Amino acid sequence: MKNARDNIFNNISAIIPEELFESLVERETLKIERIVSYGHNTPIGEWYDQSLDEWVLLLQGEAILAYEGGTKVKLQVGDYVLIPAHTRHRVEWTQPEAKTLWLAIHFVPS
Amino acid sequence: MKNARDNIFNNISAIIPEELFESLVERETLKIERIVSYGHNTPIGEWYDQSLDEWVLLLQGEAILAYEGGTKVKLQVGDYVLIPAHTRHRVEWTQPEAKTLWLAIHFVPS
């Protein structure tokens, strides 16, 4: 619907047994996604290894990203990071007592 | 720099004589941009008419978007809107007493 407005902080399920991924915009070369975590993390030993670049902005909560090789990056509200394609990473930790909200933009690397 | 983290609310100039546009990511098919307004608006009678789709998320402050045809959309923190390519629009108003921060994703329409 043209001109429609929505709010990124609204319509979050009360119960989130698993991390929640929702596409807000999806095109051939791009995906804009909202992710809700609630104490979730990526199982130890598992890595995201994506074919697209990903730009992530933390909108609410707190999280720690871990990269293969040992680097860890703590993210607080407003922090953003670019994760190039095939940069193996995992979500090490998200705040257990509150929902963590991410905006993720996935796009074709160039 | 890989793994580098930055904060979207930081490094905003104290003095903003004109609306401030900063590219955070720029690729062939995509631009991620931070925009800072401080009471700025688009001059009356002028319209943005863009060849790319634009997805906008208001991160701080308040604004009113106006579309050709008369629709106006008030945006508050967390509100987002998709502005399809060639949808003529202008920024009617931004909060005069505080800085308004926008995240804008520009991408090839499909």
Side-chain angles (χ1 to χ4, degrees), chain A residues 16 29 38 52 55 105:
Chain A
I16 302 180
T29 59
Y38 197 8
L52 298 178
W55 185 89
I105 320 290

Coordinates of all heavy atoms in Angstrom, one line a residue, chain A residues 16 29 38 52 55 105:
Chain A
I16 N 8.5 -15.8 21.9 CA 9.4 -16.0 20.8 C 10.3 -17.2 21.1 O 11.4 -17.1 21.6 CB 10.3 -14.7 20.6 CG1 9.4 -13.5 20.3 CG2 11.3 -14.9 19.4 CD1 10.1 -12.2 20.1
T29 N 17.9 -8.0 -5.6 CA 19.2 -7.7 -5.2 C 19.3 -7.3 -3.7 O 20.4 -6.9 -3.2 CB 19.8 -6.5 -6.0 OG1 18.9 -5.4 -5.9 CG2 19.9 -6.9 -7.5
Y38 N 15.6 -13.1 21.7 CA 15.2 -13.0 23.1 C 16.1 -14.0 23.9 O 15.6 -15.0 24.3 CB 13.7 -13.3 23.2 CG 13.0 -12.9 24.4 CD1 13.6 -12.1 25.4 CD2 11.7 -13.3 24.7 CE1 13.0 -11.7 26.5 CE2 11.0 -12.9 25.8 CZ 11.7 -12.1 26.7 OH 11.0 -11.8 27.9
L52 N 25.5 -13.0 0.5 CA 25.2 -11.6 0.4 C 26.0 -10.8 1.5 O 26.2 -11.4 2.5 CB 23.7 -11.3 0.5 CG 22.8 -11.9 -0.5 CD1 21.3 -11.6 -0.2 CD2 23.2 -11.5 -1.9
W55 N 24.3 -5.6 6.2 CA 24.6 -4.4 7.1 C 23.5 -4.5 8.2 O 22.3 -4.7 8.0 CB 24.4 -3.2 6.3 CG 24.7 -1.9 7.0 CD1 25.9 -1.3 7.0 CD2 23.7 -1.0 7.7 NE1 25.8 -0.1 7.7 CE2 24.5 0.1 8.1 CE3 22.4 -1.1 8.0 CZ2 23.9 1.1 8.9 CZ3 21.8 -0.1 8.7 CH2 22.6 1.0 9.1
I105 N 20.1 -5.4 6.5 CA 20.0 -5.2 5.1 C 20.9 -6.2 4.4 O 22.1 -6.1 4.6 CB 20.4 -3.7 4.7 CG1 19.9 -2.7 5.7 CG2 20.0 -3.4 3.3 CD1 18.5 -2.5 5.7

